Amino acid sequence: PSNCLFAAPVLADGKLILGGGAYEHGVPVDPKAICCTGRGYVAALDPNSGKVIWKYDVGPEPKPLDPPVKIKDAWGERLYQFGPSTSSVWCTPSFDPQTKLIYFGTDAHNAPRQPTKEDPRLYTKHSCAVIAVDAATGEERWVTQINKGDVWNYTMRAYDAETGLYKDQSVGDTPKPYTISVDGKPTRVVGVGCKNGGFYVLDARTGKIVSQTPLYT
C-alpha cells in the first residue's frame, strides 16, 4: 500500500525508465502492523503509450517468515512476519549507450530475510547495492553490494554499537558513466556516492570496484 515512484523518469534506449519501491521505514513503528512486504523496482515504459515493456524487481519477493524473525538492538525488540524488504530505488537511474546498461542504487532492508543454518544472514546481496540491468530486457547483469548487514527502520537505532557502523547507508546517488584509464587501458566505469560517505568507482561492465575514497568513522 505504500508503493511510490521516487526517481525522476529518464529516456534510455528509446524507453522511459523510472524507479521506486515501498516506503515502509515507518511501518514497524505500529506494534500491530505486519512488516514488511514491499520491494524496490525499476521499470521501462513505452514513451508513446505508457505500456510497461519490462519491470525489474529488486531482490527476492518478500514472503512470510516461518518462524518470524526477532531483531533486538539498543532501542528494543521487534518481531518481523514478512521479509526481506524493501531495497527501494530512490535515485534516478542512469543509462550508458556504450554498455547498453541501466545503473541504479538501492536502499536498506526494512525487514530481514529468513535466516537458515547454512546462511544466517538477515540481509540479501541486493540491499545497499549498485545494480546494472540490460536496457533492452531488464535482465540483471551484475550486483555490487556496498554495505552489508543493513537492516533498518524507524524503530531501530541508526548506529550499531556492536559493529561500530551506522545503519541506513543506502546508495541514493545516480551512478554516472564515464571513461578513465585503469592499468593503462581506457575503461568504462560508473561513479556513485553512498550515504556511508564514500564515493565508489565501479567497472561499468562487471561491477567490480575499481577505486573508492577513504571511509571515516
Side-chain angles (χ1 to χ4, degrees):
S2 56
N3 265 353
C4 304
L5 284 172
F6 292 124
V10 295
L11 282 170
D13 196 34
K15 305 171 187 67
L16 197 65
I17 308 298
L18 48 86
Y23 188 69
E24 296 183 295
H25 297 66
V27 171
V29 174
D30 180 358
K32 296 180 181 179
I34 296 177
C35 180
C36 285
T37 58
R39 61 175 168 170
Y41 64 88
V42 168
L45 310 183
D46 183 311
N48 297 307
S49 67
K51 179 182 177 181
V52 177
I53 299 172
W54 55 256
K55 178 170 174 274
Y56 169 85
D57 292 302
V58 177
E61 180 182 1
K63 295 182 178 179
L65 298 173
D66 185 20
V69 177
K70 189 180 294 183
I71 295 181
K72 185 177 181 180
D73 78 342
W75 282 3
E77 193 173 83
R78 182 68 161 81
L79 197 66
Y80 296 89
Q81 306 284 351
F82 282 81
S85 74
T86 302
S87 297
S88 296
V89 177
W90 58 277
C91 73
T92 297
S94 63
F95 170 65
D96 183 7
Q98 289 194 24
T99 61
K100 299 293 185 182
L101 298 179
I102 291 168
Y103 307 94
F104 53 91
T106 64
D107 200 356
H109 288 305
N110 294 150
R113 68 176 286 274
Q114 185 79 66
T116 63
K117 185 177 179 180
E118 295 76 21
D119 186 357
R121 295 176 300 172
L122 299 179
Y123 65 96
T124 75
K125 69 176 184 178
H126 292 86
S127 63
C128 300
V130 181
I131 299 177
V133 299
D134 189 291
T137 64
E139 179 184 358
E140 182 182 289
R141 288 295 185 87
W142 52 257
V143 178
T144 300
Q145 188 166 54
I146 303 298
N147 292 303
K148 298 179 179 180
D150 204 341
V151 180
W152 183 85
N153 56 62
Y154 291 164
T155 68
M156 302 168 70
R157 190 180 178 188
Y159 178 71
D160 184 355
E162 289 188 12
T163 62
L165 299 174
Y166 284 91
K167 295 288 189 176
D168 191 28
Q169 301 300 288
S170 51
V171 181
D173 184 29
T174 296
K176 292 154 282 290
Y178 53 99
T179 301
I180 61 173
S181 177
V182 178
D183 297 328
K185 298 179 181 179
T187 304
R188 198 65 174 167
V189 297
V190 287
V192 63
C194 177
K195 286 177 70 177
N196 65 7
F199 187 84
Y200 295 80
V201 180
L202 297 83
D203 187 302
R205 290 178 170 81
T206 67
K208 179 182 178 181
I209 296 177
V210 175
S211 184
Q212 70 178 79
T213 57
L215 299 181
Y216 299 95
T217 56

